[in-house]
Amino acid sequence: MKTLRTIREVRQELAGGGRIGLVPTMGAFHDGHLALFRAARDECETVVVSLFVNPTQFRANEDLSRYPRNETRDVQLAETAGVDLLFAPSVEEMYPEGYATWVDVEETGAEGAARPGHFRGVATVCLKLFNIVRPQVAYFGQKDAQQAAVLRRVIRDLDVELDLRFLPTVRDADGLALSSRNAYLSEQERRQALALPRALEAGRSAHVDGSDPVAAARGALNGLVPEYVELLDLGNVTVLAAAARIGTTRLIDNVILESRARVQPGSGVQTKES
Ligand code: AMP
């Protein structure tokens, strides 16, 4: 596996064809990331992973400076998962002096409201990565379901020729969704955090029984104060999504309630679309 830092090097390295799969990440790899790398490995000749803690998707008061970074470990994990190229640019490489162009997707619910400007940063960096790597396929996790919907809109609205794959959320055995931010949690906070997936699961059961999933999830939060619990219609899926702070750590999670794509509610089936 090669680690490259400049756009020019990446373009040179990838010239010459083959089916390229891209997995955009912010590093601190866990099994959720590795599942995306493996899916790309199965389907593509060349697997590119970007490792970039994108400052433009963090608000001023958020955790940019303490976001977990461990490139040495990430390099080893990516190499073991069969990644061919790790693109780990500097902030200056991605946003040089005078940078002024943004992809602003209209997304107002849930994370759009809770983190103004967040999706603008995500959409901008992903479109830049699509242009730099020129993949045929890009891989994302259902863990960030609203982000997935935003990127689907970007490629449709801006006519980007790209297939998107969305893979199911990978969870610890007790149900907590894997997240790089779980590293911030103390043992006690981690136990409290379990209320989030449990509440969402209660919401999903309520939905299956024909009752209100939001009320059921709110009622099962076990004292955790949510930032939001919302039903999100994301085009091909309806999800029940929630965000909550445990101490200083902000976690998000969601479960699928209805699917109009090739994925069953609550199942681990991968969605494919372009
Ligand atoms: P991040 O490094 O947190 O920006 O995530 C990079 C990609 O991994 C995004 O597409 C996420 O949705 C995906 N991802 C993060 N956590 C998980 C998880 N627990 N299961 C599956 N995919 C995930």
Side-chain angles (χ1 to χ4, degrees):
M1 187 183 80
K2 279 191 181 167
T3 301
L4 300 179
R5 312 240 171 235
T6 68
I7 294 165
R8 202 165 58 89
E9 286 171 311
V10 170
R11 290 206 163 122
Q12 268 171 8
E13 182 68 23
L14 295 176
R19 185 175 171 79
I20 298 172
L22 170 68
V23 188
T25 82
M26 299 206 300
F29 295 153
H30 50 64
D31 282 345
H33 295 111
L34 299 187
L36 302 183
F37 303 168
R38 291 196 193 102
R41 182 70 285 159
D42 283 349
E43 293 186 334
C44 303
E45 282 167 69
T46 305
V47 177
V48 181
V49 169
S50 60
L51 193 175
F52 182 59
V53 182
N54 175 35
T56 66
Q57 69 189 68
F58 289 78
R59 301 183 72 210
N61 59 345
E62 293 183 348
D63 59 341
L64 174 63
S65 60
R66 70 163 183 154
Y67 196 84
R69 291 168 170 86
N70 190 341
E71 190 179 306
T72 309
R73 178 176 173 275
D74 285 349
V75 164
Q76 283 168 2
L77 288 171
E79 190 146 33
T80 307
V83 172
D84 298 300
L85 197 168
L86 188 73
F87 175 43
S90 65
V91 173
E92 295 70 31
E93 180 72 8
M94 293 297 276
Y95 300 108
E97 184 79 26
Y99 188 89
T101 305
W102 302 97
V103 180
D104 209 344
V105 185
E106 293 171 15
E107 180 72 18
T108 49
E111 291 296 288
R115 303 180 72 188
H118 170 66
F119 286 130
R120 181 174 102 139
V122 169
T124 301
V125 80
C126 283
L127 185 62
K128 282 174 67 69
L129 290 167
F130 298 156
N131 283 331
I132 293 164
V133 174
R134 303 253 167 178
Q136 279 70 42
V137 201
Y139 296 81
F140 297 92
Q142 190 65 39
K143 158 81 167 44
D144 299 278
Q146 216 182 345
Q147 168 177 289
V150 162
L151 293 171
R152 201 183 290 123
R153 290 256 297 283
V154 168
I155 69 155
R156 273 189 205 160
D157 292 353
L158 298 180
D159 310 300
V160 181
E161 218 178 349
L162 178 66
D163 286 346
L164 298 182
R165 302 271 192 273
F166 302 106
L167 278 98
T169 302
V170 178
R171 298 177 182 279
D172 267 334
D174 58 10
L176 188 68
L178 298 187
S179 163
S180 303
R181 290 188 167 98
N182 292 353
Y184 301 148
L185 300 171
S186 68
E187 252 176 63
Q188 195 203 345
E189 287 174 337
R190 200 192 167 292
R191 276 195 299 276
Q192 289 169 352
L194 276 179
L196 194 58
R198 286 180 182 160
L200 290 171
E201 205 40 47
R204 200 172 70 79
S205 299
H207 177 74
V208 171
D209 295 341
S211 48
D212 180 355
V214 173
R218 283 188 175 277
L221 273 164
N222 199 23
L224 209 63
V225 181
E227 230 171 75
Y228 61 79
V229 180
E230 272 181 43
L231 276 182
L232 297 175
D233 179 354
L234 300 177
N236 66 345
V237 285
T238 302
V239 302
L240 178 63
R245 252 172 230 286
I246 297 102
T248 56
T249 306
R250 182 175 186 277
L251 297 181
I252 61 170
D253 198 354
N254 70 86
V255 290
I256 295 174
L257 299 187
E258 303 278 347
S259 176
R260 295 165 286 283
R262 272 175 272 166
V263 60
Q264 299 302 310
S267 83
V269 181
Q270 166 178 352
T271 51
K272 286 189 182 187
E273 60 179 272
S274 51

